[in-house]
Amino acid sequence: MTSYLYELPTTGAISFADVCIDATATYIADVSDTTESRANLRAALKESKRTDRGEKDDLKLVKVLDEYVPKLYGLLSCIDSAEIALKAEPIFSWRTTLSSTLFNNSPRISLPTFSTEVIFSLLTYAFSISNLARAVVHSLGQYETERAISDTERKAKDERLAFAVNLLCKAAGIYEFIGKVCLAEWDKDRERVLSLGLSCPRPPDLSREVVIGLSKMALADAQNLAIRKLLSKAAFESTLTPGPPLPKSHPSPALVAKLHLECASLYSTARSLVKTPGASKASSKSKLKLPLNKEKNTGEREETGEEVTAELRRYLADEAALHGALARKWLGVDAGEHGGTSKGGVAVGFLAWAKKDLEELKHGHASGGIIGGEREKEMRERRKARVQAELESTSTFLVGYKKMNDSISFQSVPPQSDLQAMIPAGLLATVVKPYNKPVPAFGPGSIEYTRRQTEELELLSAEAEGAASPQGASPEAASAKSYAGAAAYY
């Protein structure tokens, strides 16, 4: 039970001093500091690329981005307020890790405007936070099924699991911020640079549908972990006595089913959203029909023609199928536990349906396709282990409730169409943690800039009060004239 493992991008070097003009020399040190922070980000990403998965330091990347993003916004606030000017339109080079290519490698793309840098930096931030959450979960192991674990140890690991849930909700908020705020700004900048004749293609990473899809996926991953935390105590007791009846500590199976249904819905919606840019492939093919002696328009408006990587689409398809099957499993258990003898056939029907779906998932029938690389292989191996465990659990419940139905209830098993009509709506237990634009590290809007402005206003106010009083009137003179008849000479 884990979340999606992102491939982190890498980026080319850039010196902000080469593209910025600070006429007043106020921000020379700040511009240099921002360049240094970006160089640290570039180095950390390159190091992560060369490091094996088990040795990657996701927390370090999160901290590097925590330092760089406010400085980037500081630079932008100075440019927007004309305190810093641009020598030329900056060009930023990033690898688009969400793009699908023929050789499964991440293409490098160069794009203009600072809004491009903001989006790729925030995407990398959300990727790193998601990978950190995954590393936290991986470090816990299957603790809820360990028979020797104490109640105190289990609760401590539950808290770590809750921390991972919080991280994924934060990542969902960052994706939502990019999709609703940053991409609107990027679209405006794109129109501006296109009018200047600059090329500015849109890879899938800069698609609003894709980014909102990632937000849905992060929220689904968070809910997936929240379900695990909800079931941790009952899972420990069920390890000792698997199958029906459920232990007293077990949450309502109907509630668990609704939580899984919402997970399935979120993954399915995310998959539909990330598949949207695939239609742009037609536009890329049409480019090949251009005569060889005709150059492309320098103001490139078309999409890149790339789809979102198949690895991500397969992950979403598999997770949607898995949670749909688990929802049917728990609807069957709920009918068996709380439906009485009249629901015996319903319990068997739902559990048999869930078992069939899980068997298909076990053999890779949900999404199909060839495994793309080591990351996907690792994710599929973990899912396969989980599917196997869930299949065994479902089979145990099915045998138990079928035996009860065949010997006590004698209820017929409804057809799948009737069972489908009994499925309730899902229930969301996790919420997106809204991401707010950070306070700029320097320039307009920063704490230091606001403090300086306040001090200048106080100084101007004091000078204005001094100018309003009689000139040359000192405190001593004022006190000397304070007695009755002062300055009255006869």
Side-chain angles (χ1 to χ4, degrees):
M1 192 178 292
T2 184
S3 54
Y4 186 73
L5 177 59
Y6 286 96
E7 177 191 356
L8 297 179
T10 54
T11 182
I14 188 171
S15 171
F16 292 118
D18 292 341
V19 296
C20 296
I21 302 172
D22 181 10
T24 61
T26 305
Y27 299 106
I28 290 177
D30 293 312
V31 171
S32 176
D33 197 28
T34 305
T35 299
E36 182 181 342
S37 291
R38 194 185 189 282
N40 291 339
L41 171 61
R42 180 172 180 261
L45 288 170
K46 288 180 70 176
E47 180 185 350
S48 177
K49 196 80 171 177
R50 294 191 295 262
T51 308
D52 293 335
R53 178 64 241 165
E55 299 175 0
K56 290 183 187 293
D57 192 345
D58 299 301
L59 181 58
K60 177 184 176 181
L61 264 171
V62 172
K63 289 180 177 178
V64 168
L65 282 153
D66 274 333
E67 178 185 323
Y68 172 58
V69 173
K71 293 177 182 178
L72 177 60
Y73 271 108
L75 190 57
L76 283 172
S77 71
C78 290
I79 293 169
D80 291 341
S81 61
E83 296 203 6
I84 289 179
L86 291 177
K87 296 177 183 177
E89 193 68 49
I91 304 294
F92 297 94
S93 172
W94 284 88
R95 287 200 180 277
T96 54
T97 56
L98 297 178
S99 300
S100 174
T101 61
L102 182 62
F103 300 105
N104 290 317
N105 61 337
S106 304
R108 184 180 289 278
I109 189 168
S110 294
L111 292 168
T113 81
F114 269 100
S115 54
T116 296
E117 176 72 0
V118 169
I119 291 173
F120 274 101
S121 297
L122 289 179
L123 278 175
T124 306
Y125 189 36
F127 294 166
S128 301
I129 289 173
S130 298
N131 285 356
L132 176 60
R134 193 175 189 278
V136 169
V137 174
H138 181 58
S139 70
L140 298 176
Q142 295 298 320
Y143 69 94
E144 62 267 55
T145 60
E146 294 174 6
R147 298 191 179 189
I149 193 171
S150 68
D151 194 50
T152 303
E153 290 174 324
R154 182 184 57 78
K155 288 180 179 178
K157 293 197 173 187
D158 278 351
E159 289 303 312
R160 293 288 292 164
L161 200 58
F163 173 63
V165 171
N166 188 55
L167 286 174
L168 288 167
C169 290
K170 182 179 180 179
I174 296 171
Y175 291 129
E176 193 174 83
F177 178 79
I178 295 169
K180 293 182 177 179
V181 178
C182 298
L183 280 168
E185 296 174 0
W186 185 80
D187 286 336
K188 293 177 184 177
D189 285 345
R190 187 190 190 206
E191 290 301 318
R192 176 178 58 80
V193 297
L194 285 172
S195 68
L196 298 174
L198 295 175
S199 176
C200 192
R202 185 197 296 270
D205 311 58
L206 297 179
S207 162
R208 187 170 285 102
E209 291 80 10
V210 170
V211 176
I212 295 299
L214 294 181
S215 179
K216 301 284 186 187
M217 182 179 76
L219 195 60
D221 285 343
Q223 176 130 331
N224 183 18
L225 296 182
I227 295 171
R228 178 180 175 183
K229 181 177 180 293
L230 177 69
L231 294 174
S232 68
K233 185 176 181 180
F236 169 73
E237 295 177 2
S238 296
T239 302
L240 304 175
T241 54
L246 293 176
K248 291 182 179 179
S249 64
H250 202 287
S252 163
L255 170 63
V256 178
K258 290 179 181 180
L259 294 174
H260 279 296
L261 283 168
E262 189 63 23
C263 271
S265 175
L266 286 168
Y267 283 123
S268 181
T269 301
R271 184 168 182 264
S272 297
L273 286 167
V274 302
K275 286 177 70 178
T276 304
S280 65
K281 290 196 78 174
S283 67
S284 75
K285 291 176 182 177
S286 66
K287 295 176 194 175
L288 300 177
K289 299 176 183 179
L290 289 172
L292 293 177
N293 59 344
K294 290 189 178 181
E295 296 291 333
K296 288 192 300 180
N297 187 341
T298 52
E300 180 58 67
R301 187 177 293 275
E302 295 186 22
E303 312 301 292
T304 59
E306 295 158 350
E307 290 183 316
V308 169
T309 173
E311 179 184 289
L312 176 58
R313 287 181 276 126
R314 282 194 289 262
Y315 173 84
L316 292 170
D318 288 344
E319 288 298 311
L322 173 59
H323 286 278
L326 293 179
R328 291 183 275 278
K329 167 194 170 183
W330 289 111
L331 287 172
V333 172
D334 181 58
E337 292 287 314
H338 305 122
T341 55
S342 63
K343 295 289 184 180
V346 173
V348 172
F350 270 123
L351 285 162
W353 187 2
K355 182 183 178 184
K356 176 175 70 72
D357 290 346
L358 288 168
E359 284 174 342
E360 289 180 357
L361 262 176
K362 180 183 176 182
H363 296 99
H365 293 167
S367 60
I370 301 171
I371 295 178
E374 288 300 317
R375 288 183 309 105
E376 185 174 16
K377 183 179 179 181
E378 180 190 341
M379 286 188 285
R380 282 202 172 188
E381 284 177 351
R382 290 192 185 186
R383 185 185 294 106
K384 186 176 180 181
R386 185 185 180 190
V387 168
Q388 180 61 37
E390 292 290 356
L391 183 58
E392 291 173 2
S393 172
T394 302
S395 298
T396 302
F397 278 111
L398 178 58
V399 168
Y401 292 131
K402 190 174 188 303
K403 185 177 181 181
M404 291 171 61
N405 189 54
D406 291 345
S407 58
I408 301 173
S409 304
F410 305 108
Q411 297 293 313
S412 61
V413 178
Q416 191 168 306
S417 57
D418 289 354
L419 294 172
Q420 181 68 47
M422 300 178 194
I423 296 177
L427 181 66
L428 188 63
T430 53
V431 293
V432 173
K433 188 175 181 180
Y435 177 78
N436 297 313
K437 186 169 73 172
V439 175
F442 58 91
S446 67
I447 296 173
E448 178 61 22
Y449 189 90
T450 304
R451 185 189 64 78
R452 277 206 319 268
Q453 277 194 322
T454 303
E455 289 178 354
E456 288 172 4
L457 286 172
E458 289 175 352
L459 183 59
L460 288 172
S461 178
E463 289 175 354
E465 289 176 4
S469 62
Q471 292 185 356
S474 64
E476 292 81 0
S479 62
K481 295 179 182 179
S482 62
Y483 60 90
Y489 297 102
Y490 303 97

